[in-house]
Amino acid sequence: MNADEFRKAAHAAIEEIIQYNQDVASGTLPVLPNIKPGYLRPQLPAAAPQHPQSWQDIQPDIAKSIVPGLTHWQSPNFMAFFPACSTYPSILGEMYSSAFTAPAFNWLCSPACTELETIVLDWLADALHLPKDFRSDSPGGGGGVIQGSASEAIVTVMVAARERYLNRRADAKGLPDPSPEREEWIAELRPKLVALSSDQAHSSTAKGAIIAGTYHRTVETTWQDDLAVQPDALESTIKKCIEDGREPYYITLSYGTTSTCAQDPLHLLAPILQKYPDIWVHVDAAYAGTALVCPEYANASTSASPSNSNGIIPTLEGLPTNGIEQPPPPPTQPPLPSPTGLLPTGPTVWSHADSFNTNLHKWLLVSFDASLLYIRSRHALTSALSITPAYLQNKHTDSGLVTDYRDWQIPLGRRFRALKIWFVVRSYGVEGLRAHIRRTVRVGQRLEALVRESDDGRALFEVLSKPAFGLTCFRVRPGAVPRQLLAEGGVVDGPGESVETENTMDGSPFGTVEQQAGEEEAQPTETATATAEDLANTFSKQVVETINDGGQLFLTSSSTHGKTFIRVVSGNANASEEFVRKAFEMVVATTREVLRQAVEESRG
Amino acid sequence: MNADEFRKAAHAAIEEIIQYNQDVASGTLPVLPNIKPGYLRPQLPAAAPQHPQSWQDIQPDIAKSIVPGLTHWQSPNFMAFFPACSTYPSILGEMYSSAFTAPAFNWLCSPACTELETIVLDWLADALHLPKDFRSDSPGGGGGVIQGSASEAIVTVMVAARERYLNRRADAKGLPDPSPEREEWIAELRPKLVALSSDQAHSSTAKGAIIAGTYHRTVETTWQDDLAVQPDALESTIKKCIEDGREPYYITLSYGTTSTCAQDPLHLLAPILQKYPDIWVHVDAAYAGTALVCPEYANASTSASPSNSNGIIPTLEGLPTNGIEQPPPPPTQPPLPSPTGLLPTGPTVWSHADSFNTNLHKWLLVSFDASLLYIRSRHALTSALSITPAYLQNKHTDSGLVTDYRDWQIPLGRRFRALKIWFVVRSYGVEGLRAHIRRTVRVGQRLEALVRESDDGRALFEVLSKPAFGLTCFRVRPGAVPRQLLAEGGVVDGPGESVETENTMDGSPFGTVEQQAGEEEAQPTETATATAEDLANTFSKQVVETINDGGQLFLTSSSTHGKTFIRVVSGNANASEEFVRKAFEMVVATTREVLRQAVEESRG
């Protein structure tokens, strides 16, 4: 493909991408593809072509074979998982990144790639109101690095945490470094290590523990405590580990868990963690962390009504008012909630963490992948991960004046991902990023209001968790389960299969979540009430599956501590109140139909 | 940025990219940037902008601040490391990938992303003449997956290898799974594990061993054996590990090492490895593996003159001749070598491996990142890495009919990288890919011929390794070191600092390369001959540093087993015989200047 052919091809690709975006934004394209597993193989040749094909041969296959097999994450009907935004400035970033291709494993391999990364990560550390300790120019040697995903960020810091722990213990023992006796002593200590996280933490901590070859144990949470780690539970888990001969070296705390956006209260947990200074504290803020770009999130206090330092929250239009702009409340109903349920945050709180990650590629308008990892001490990473063979040596690296990000991550090579971040941040401006977060939070609040306050919502559903960050978790109300089904008794799936599956794993005995005492308590007992609970869970999952089968709307169900529920979050650039209202209507209609069919089936 | 603004911005970006490519291809742009560490910070604002900026504000900064800080991997003067190609079809692939953004961690998250990946990896398994066992439809359940880099591929299979080894041993012991006694037994076995590789293997195996928390021990190679692992050395290393109470669970064998493109002879090593069937055999063919697209590489036999099954090698023009087209040899000199030094390859040989990786983003015209990992048994990967929490459950995954690539890799999310591979393979066709490999090998042979056969080359240099895959490794001939310098004695850096640095690592005692008995043997003794060796090494490194300081040509030096040398490889799409000839002239002139200055300095 020569320059002229590329120009033509790229212009055609741009028109196709614009048209695709318009089709997706309109919500007319079904969000889920209407295809069966294996759909693509019959449409493509069995082998690579022997001879060159022109773009005129290639491009039509995108519309014919690829687009029909896409799940459209930019659709306003995409309300599953968390959003994964894509924006035009991001696409431009990837174009240049590909043109400037360099597996930029060290500074010399493409200085601009390294230096722009350092600068935009400092920009974002400030924009997200993170502690100065996480900036590249902090006296303690902190800094940020772009990882491909939160799971990579987490396994990277787990390896650093493991090595830091082992070496600190060996140092405390006075073992000379290096020495065979130190090595042997560390080898004996290694299999005792245990990584901790809430039982709500994303599965990447469990997977990270497998990769790092350590145990993983969870701190139990409860619905009463909004599924957030409580100080007592943390302390007793640590003590139990130690009693069992395990040595905790690492903990993931979450700012916005995957299932319900629970926030582990670092400000309350810090006094306990300070008693165990060798435990590496990592904050996984993969989704919710980008909300910290808004002062009302970043400087939240324990007060019910969060505000920035002036008590003034700018609206979408940038005009200060005394609170986030809300749709007018329906008559005779309580007003829409403001973004409550926020725990104290801000630099002082995050200063208790050794590391912090948040994904710009979820909510903050940068296309996948762009996961920011901030660390307090780069030395802890590089001393675990640095390897410099002869062919990677150069005088710049030797000088110590440059950053070689290869030592901050698992892979050697890396893409020029800072470009798309730079383009997005400049195209939107910090105020534009805040406006996006606030607008989509408001969209989520509209859905929450419908579930909580509409006649249908109150009749059919219960909201399960304190809503925050635009995510609403709700399920069919046990009280809404038709009485004739309760009379039938246990005809539905027991909770043992469809519930409590979070964090269960197969395979390796290492990395296995160690069973907590009392874990069985949450299981429903065999009473009529329990059966209503079971049915509420089953129907909730069934509603999501029925909706997803239709392909018009994509939701996720989740399940924890005896409750299966519907998760709705809608944070991409095309999200709107209109679409969540339609989604709610579909959830209501589907729930009624699921209940009707269950009654019908129970009659024979 | 709305659609119209994007169209305009993208058109402007395309023109800039085309212009950049033309500037780079012409070789007029210095390959290395003329900037100092920290150059970018003063050029950019200290904080992210508060308000949106237009593309008209943003784009000029690319030419002003980014391009001057790039190392131009597409320059014909880029002859360092290995190539990292970027092509127009790749850029188109990244545009669509970004537009279709999905962190496609399972099939349902974007079926086209998963299915196209499976298909193009099967295409490439065949195009690279790999065993059918590595295809997704193989009866044994093999398949391919796109990883970000060879280092990710390697650590992924190392973790799978570790878990397979531990579980096989526990099974052999008859320990019930799961059971506390099995878990404890495995925990005791874990710290004994040792990963193996040649002392020439890429540093990613050493880093992988750190991440996996195991020892790493190397099999020693020698210059006499072309730095390839020999059967005796392999067997004695395995036995020594076992004697020392270590348990080898994994080995990296290389098809094209980083320093010299050495090939470990799997066909000769297989009989030994078959005695230890629990050792996972991985072939790292990161760079050289893509040459297997050519039958003359894929079906190489032990004969000195490789050929395909017909004994006919197609030329660049696709016309069969009885050998690769060569430039006419200079009078009174031996003919240019054909691509000799190839070990037997082909499906039968690779069938001895559990896994195999090669990077399309090095030599095969796909922009970074696109590293192919093939495995014989997907079960070995997924049983180590699969974790399915409730929010990732769906009926497609449960059906077993679909592939969830998240369980084949360390991260959860993944980009749609199959698109760019699909575009590149179709745009070039398999014959076009072969033509690229053959053309650039020929460019490398031209350089080799100059080093070996020109008057300057014979006077100044010695070629150190069997050249293959377009890489030439040579150094200043000890005999070319001026006699007056030898008389001066040890005024230069000893080999202890600049030599033998490969695989040396800091930090963690785990993952440390265990010292082999007899490693010191290669160190030169303090005789006049050794001093000439030392000076030859020092001058070779100095030549590379002097050239790189100039910024017009980018080379790498490397160092192993007592020899420091100059590596020249030129495999990107803009590589040409003209540019390697100019590079050779620069190497000659620089060498003469380095020697002249050394003589001058020795005079006082």
Side-chain angles (χ1 to χ4, degrees):
Chain A
M1 189 179 283
N2 65 26
D4 284 337
E5 290 164 343
F6 171 63
R7 182 182 291 110
K8 259 194 213 162
H11 285 197
I14 286 161
E15 293 312 312
E16 185 166 26
I17 287 169
I18 289 172
Q19 189 59 52
Y20 170 77
N21 274 352
Q22 287 170 352
D23 292 347
V24 166
S26 71
T28 49
L29 214 55
V31 58
L32 280 164
N34 181 24
I35 47 94
K36 297 262 176 287
Y39 86 98
L40 187 57
R41 175 90 59 177
Q43 299 187 28
L44 300 189
Q50 288 297 303
H51 299 290
Q53 298 183 342
S54 72
W55 185 247
Q56 287 70 35
D57 298 327
I58 297 169
Q59 193 185 11
D61 289 342
I62 299 167
K64 179 171 156 280
S65 298
I66 301 302
V67 175
L70 294 176
T71 299
H72 306 294
W73 287 63
Q74 307 316 313
S75 164
N77 288 315
F78 187 96
M79 303 185 195
F81 307 110
F82 286 126
C85 294
S86 175
T87 55
Y88 288 132
S90 272
I91 297 173
L92 294 169
E94 291 290 9
M95 286 167 63
Y96 280 101
S97 171
S98 189
F100 298 158
T101 275
F105 39 82
N106 63 20
W107 182 86
L108 183 58
C109 281
S110 214
C113 176
T114 293
E115 298 207 5
L116 187 65
E117 182 159 338
T118 305
I119 293 166
V120 298
L121 267 81
D122 282 344
W123 280 11
L124 282 158
D126 292 347
L128 296 168
H129 304 85
L130 296 179
K132 299 289 176 206
D133 300 355
F134 289 152
R135 280 183 56 104
S136 67
D137 52 6
S138 62
V145 59
I146 306 172
Q147 303 266 337
S149 63
S151 30
E152 276 176 75
I154 286 172
V155 71
T156 302
V157 294
M158 288 177 87
V159 170
R162 190 193 64 193
E163 297 305 313
R164 186 180 80 170
Y165 184 88
L166 293 169
N167 281 291
R168 279 190 183 176
R169 291 292 315 281
D171 288 345
K173 195 86 184 167
L175 294 163
D177 185 12
S179 67
E181 59 270 33
R182 182 185 179 102
E183 195 169 311
E184 288 300 322
W185 188 83
I186 283 180
E188 278 170 37
L189 180 56
R190 196 173 284 269
K192 296 181 183 157
L193 299 195
V194 58
L196 304 175
S197 72
S198 147
D199 59 12
Q200 300 301 308
H202 186 267
S203 59
S204 50
T205 299
K207 189 166 174 175
I210 291 176
I211 293 164
T214 70
Y215 287 102
H216 173 223
R217 192 177 282 202
T218 58
V219 183
E220 211 177 349
T221 62
T222 65
W223 281 106
Q224 293 95 297
D225 292 317
D226 289 318
L227 302 175
V229 169
Q230 298 303 302
D232 289 355
L234 172 63
E235 185 149 34
S236 68
T237 304
I238 293 174
K239 285 185 172 164
K240 183 71 169 51
C241 286
I242 295 169
E243 276 168 37
D244 294 346
R246 306 274 187 255
E247 307 207 10
Y249 72 99
Y250 168 90
I251 187 166
T252 297
L253 296 175
S254 302
Y255 181 69
T257 59
T258 308
S259 271
T260 65
C261 271
Q263 302 148 69
D264 296 329
L266 182 51
H267 64 299
L268 301 179
L269 304 173
I272 291 155
L273 292 166
Q274 280 156 7
K275 295 186 212 168
Y276 305 93
D278 293 335
I279 298 180
W280 181 298
V281 181
H282 178 71
V283 173
D284 178 12
Y287 166 65
T290 50
L292 298 170
V293 76
C294 301
E296 66 271 24
Y297 286 92
N299 300 314
S301 67
T302 38
S303 74
S305 174
S307 62
N308 68 9
S309 50
N310 303 319
I312 291 171
I313 300 170
T315 65
L316 248 186
E317 294 69 38
L319 298 172
T321 71
N322 202 14
I324 282 189
E325 190 187 275
Q326 301 288 350
T332 77
Q333 292 194 353
L336 278 174
S338 55
T340 55
L342 295 179
L343 291 179
T345 54
T348 317
V349 173
W350 304 131
S351 283
H352 297 300
D354 290 289
S355 51
F356 178 99
N357 77 277
T358 190
N359 292 349
L360 302 185
H361 64 237
K362 283 194 161 72
W363 200 2
L364 211 61
L365 301 163
V366 179
S367 64
F368 189 82
D369 50 354
S371 178
L372 309 189
L373 170 64
Y374 289 100
I375 50 163
R376 173 186 309 289
S377 162
R378 61 177 70 191
H379 176 73
L381 272 190
T382 58
S383 65
L385 294 173
S386 176
I387 290 176
T388 305
Y391 47 82
L392 295 182
Q393 285 178 12
N394 65 82
K395 64 177 189 179
H396 303 287
T397 294
D398 295 345
S399 75
L401 291 175
V402 300
T403 299
D404 288 341
Y405 278 124
R406 68 160 196 272
D407 298 332
W408 297 49
Q409 61 177 17
I410 286 172
L412 178 70
R414 50 207 325 278
R415 289 164 58 240
F416 197 165
R417 290 176 291 212
L419 277 175
K420 62 184 172 186
I421 299 174
W422 194 43
F423 292 169
V424 167
V425 170
R426 294 181 66 178
S427 296
Y428 282 82
V430 173
E431 280 302 337
L433 299 175
R434 287 175 183 155
H436 165 70
I437 295 288
R438 288 169 181 150
R439 193 184 70 76
T440 49
V441 164
R442 209 161 52 187
V443 169
Q445 288 173 326
R446 163 55 60 193
L447 186 270
E448 187 204 338
L450 289 166
V451 177
R452 271 193 205 279
E453 295 156 21
S454 71
D455 291 345
D456 284 332
R458 284 182 303 164
L460 291 172
F461 305 117
E462 60 176 4
V463 173
L464 289 183
S465 61
K466 246 184 218 168
F469 312 111
L471 171 70
T472 307
C473 297
F474 60 101
R475 67 166 178 172
V476 175
R477 265 199 318 120
V481 174
R483 297 187 67 84
Q484 52 269 57
L485 295 177
L486 292 180
E488 291 287 323
V491 288
V492 294
D493 285 353
E497 274 180 32
S498 61
V499 185
E500 288 294 344
T501 44
E502 221 132 348
N503 296 327
T504 53
M505 292 176 295
D506 64 3
S508 154
F510 254 63
T512 299
V513 177
E514 302 205 302
Q515 297 301 308
Q516 300 295 314
E519 191 177 64
E520 299 304 304
E521 283 173 30
Q523 302 292 337
T525 53
E526 290 299 320
T527 66
T529 317
T531 308
E533 283 280 323
D534 291 353
L535 286 169
N537 287 337
T538 305
F539 292 142
S540 298
K541 189 171 183 183
Q542 214 173 319
V543 167
V544 171
E545 284 178 351
T546 306
I547 286 172
N548 291 353
D549 280 348
Q552 299 298 321
L553 178 63
F554 190 16
L555 306 179
T556 313
S557 69
S558 193
S559 186
T560 193
H561 291 305
K563 299 188 188 195
T564 300
F565 50 97
I566 303 166
R567 284 172 85 263
V568 183
V569 60
S570 173
N572 69 35
N574 296 317
S576 79
E577 298 194 10
E578 181 200 345
F579 281 97
V580 294
R581 191 181 44 71
K582 284 188 194 161
F584 179 70
E585 286 165 10
M586 186 181 284
V587 171
V588 167
T590 308
T591 304
R592 292 206 189 284
E593 179 58 19
V594 161
L595 296 177
R596 192 193 61 72
Q597 282 189 4
V599 169
E600 201 160 286
E601 280 166 24
S602 78
R603 284 179 185 144
Chain B
M1 189 180 283
N2 65 26
D4 284 338
E5 290 164 342
F6 171 63
R7 183 182 290 110
K8 258 194 215 162
H11 284 198
I14 286 160
E15 294 311 313
E16 185 166 26
I17 287 169
I18 289 172
Q19 189 59 52
Y20 171 76
N21 274 352
Q22 287 170 351
D23 293 347
V24 166
S26 71
T28 49
L29 215 55
V31 59
L32 280 164
N34 181 24
I35 47 94
K36 296 261 175 289
Y39 86 98
L40 187 57
R41 176 91 57 178
Q43 299 187 27
L44 300 188
Q50 288 298 302
H51 299 290
Q53 299 182 341
S54 72
W55 185 248
Q56 288 70 35
D57 298 326
I58 297 169
Q59 193 185 9
D61 289 342
I62 299 167
K64 180 170 156 282
S65 298
I66 301 302
V67 175
L70 295 177
T71 298
H72 306 294
W73 287 62
Q74 307 316 312
S75 165
N77 288 316
F78 186 96
M79 303 185 195
F81 306 111
F82 286 126
C85 294
S86 175
T87 56
Y88 287 133
S90 270
I91 298 173
L92 294 168
E94 290 291 8
M95 286 166 65
Y96 279 101
S97 171
S98 189
F100 297 159
T101 274
F105 40 81
N106 64 20
W107 180 87
L108 183 59
C109 282
S110 213
C113 176
T114 293
E115 299 207 4
L116 188 65
E117 182 159 337
T118 305
I119 293 166
V120 298
L121 267 82
D122 282 345
W123 280 11
L124 281 158
D126 292 346
L128 295 169
H129 305 86
L130 296 178
K132 298 290 175 205
D133 300 355
F134 290 151
R135 280 183 56 104
S136 69
D137 52 5
S138 62
V145 59
I146 307 172
Q147 303 267 336
S149 62
S151 31
E152 276 176 76
I154 285 172
V155 70
T156 302
V157 295
M158 286 177 87
V159 169
R162 190 193 64 194
E163 298 305 313
R164 188 181 79 171
Y165 184 88
L166 293 169
N167 281 290
R168 280 191 183 173
R169 291 291 316 278
D171 288 346
K173 194 87 184 167
L175 293 163
D177 184 15
S179 66
E181 59 271 32
R182 182 186 178 100
E183 195 168 312
E184 288 299 323
W185 188 83
I186 283 180
E188 279 170 37
L189 180 56
R190 193 173 287 269
K192 297 180 183 156
L193 300 195
V194 58
L196 304 176
S197 72
S198 147
D199 59 13
Q200 299 301 309
H202 186 266
S203 59
S204 51
T205 298
K207 188 165 174 175
I210 291 176
I211 293 162
T214 70
Y215 288 102
H216 172 224
R217 192 178 282 201
T218 58
V219 183
E220 211 178 349
T221 61
T222 64
W223 281 106
Q224 293 95 298
D225 291 318
D226 289 317
L227 302 174
V229 169
Q230 298 303 303
D232 288 354
L234 173 64
E235 186 149 34
S236 68
T237 304
I238 293 174
K239 285 186 173 163
K240 182 72 169 51
C241 286
I242 295 168
E243 275 168 38
D244 293 346
R246 307 273 188 253
E247 306 206 11
Y249 71 100
Y250 168 89
I251 187 166
T252 297
L253 296 175
S254 303
Y255 181 69
T257 58
T258 307
S259 272
T260 64
C261 271
Q263 303 149 67
D264 295 328
L266 182 51
H267 65 299
L268 301 179
L269 304 173
I272 291 156
L273 292 165
Q274 280 155 8
K275 296 187 213 167
Y276 304 94
D278 293 336
I279 298 180
W280 181 297
V281 180
H282 178 71
V283 173
D284 178 13
Y287 166 65
T290 50
L292 297 169
V293 75
C294 301
E296 65 271 24
Y297 285 94
N299 299 314
S301 68
T302 39
S303 74
S305 174
S307 62
N308 68 8
S309 50
N310 303 321
I312 291 170
I313 301 170
T315 65
L316 249 186
E317 293 68 39
L319 297 172
T321 70
N322 202 15
I324 281 189
E325 189 188 275
Q326 302 289 350
T332 76
Q333 292 193 354
L336 279 172
S338 55
T340 55
L342 295 178
L343 290 179
T345 55
T348 317
V349 173
W350 304 130
S351 283
H352 297 299
D354 290 290
S355 50
F356 178 100
N357 77 276
T358 190
N359 292 350
L360 302 184
H361 63 238
K362 282 194 163 72
W363 200 2
L364 212 62
L365 301 164
V366 179
S367 63
F368 189 82
D369 51 352
S371 177
L372 309 189
L373 170 64
Y374 288 101
I375 49 163
R376 173 185 310 287
S377 162
R378 62 175 71 192
H379 177 74
L381 272 190
T382 58
S383 66
L385 294 172
S386 175
I387 290 175
T388 305
Y391 46 83
L392 295 182
Q393 285 177 12
N394 66 81
K395 65 177 188 178
H396 302 286
T397 294
D398 295 345
S399 74
L401 291 176
V402 300
T403 299
D404 287 343
Y405 278 124
R406 69 159 194 273
D407 299 332
W408 298 48
Q409 61 176 19
I410 286 171
L412 179 68
R414 50 208 326 280
R415 290 163 57 240
F416 198 165
R417 291 176 291 210
L419 276 174
K420 62 183 172 187
I421 299 175
W422 194 42
F423 292 170
V424 167
V425 170
R426 294 181 65 179
S427 295
Y428 283 82
V430 173
E431 280 301 337
L433 300 176
R434 288 175 184 156
H436 165 70
I437 297 287
R438 288 169 182 152
R439 192 183 71 78
T440 49
V441 164
R442 210 162 49 187
V443 168
Q445 288 174 325
R446 164 54 61 193
L447 186 271
E448 186 204 338
L450 289 167
V451 178
R452 271 194 204 278
E453 295 156 21
S454 72
D455 290 345
D456 285 331
R458 285 183 299 164
L460 291 172
F461 305 118
E462 59 176 3
V463 172
L464 288 183
S465 61
K466 247 183 219 169
F469 311 112
L471 171 68
T472 307
C473 298
F474 60 101
R475 66 166 179 173
V476 174
R477 267 199 318 119
V481 173
R483 297 186 69 83
Q484 54 266 59
L485 295 177
L486 292 179
E488 292 287 324
V491 291
V492 294
D493 285 352
E497 273 180 34
S498 62
V499 185
E500 287 295 343
T501 44
E502 220 131 350
N503 297 325
T504 54
M505 291 177 295
D506 64 3
S508 154
F510 254 62
T512 300
V513 177
E514 301 204 306
Q515 298 301 309
Q516 300 296 313
E519 190 177 65
E520 300 303 305
E521 284 172 32
Q523 302 291 337
T525 52
E526 291 299 319
T527 66
T529 315
T531 308
E533 283 280 321
D534 291 353
L535 286 169
N537 288 336
T538 305
F539 291 143
S540 299
K541 190 171 182 183
Q542 214 174 320
V543 166
V544 170
E545 285 178 351
T546 305
I547 286 172
N548 291 352
D549 280 348
Q552 299 297 321
L553 176 64
F554 191 14
L555 306 180
T556 313
S557 68
S558 193
S559 186
T560 193
H561 290 306
K563 299 188 187 195
T564 299
F565 51 96
I566 303 166
R567 284 172 84 262
V568 182
V569 60
S570 172
N572 70 35
N574 295 316
S576 79
E577 298 193 10
E578 180 200 346
F579 281 97
V580 294
R581 191 180 44 72
K582 285 188 195 161
F584 178 70
E585 287 165 9
M586 186 180 283
V587 171
V588 167
T590 308
T591 304
R592 293 207 189 283
E593 178 59 18
V594 161
L595 296 177
R596 192 193 60 74
Q597 282 188 6
V599 170
E600 201 161 285
E601 281 165 23
S602 77
R603 285 181 183 142

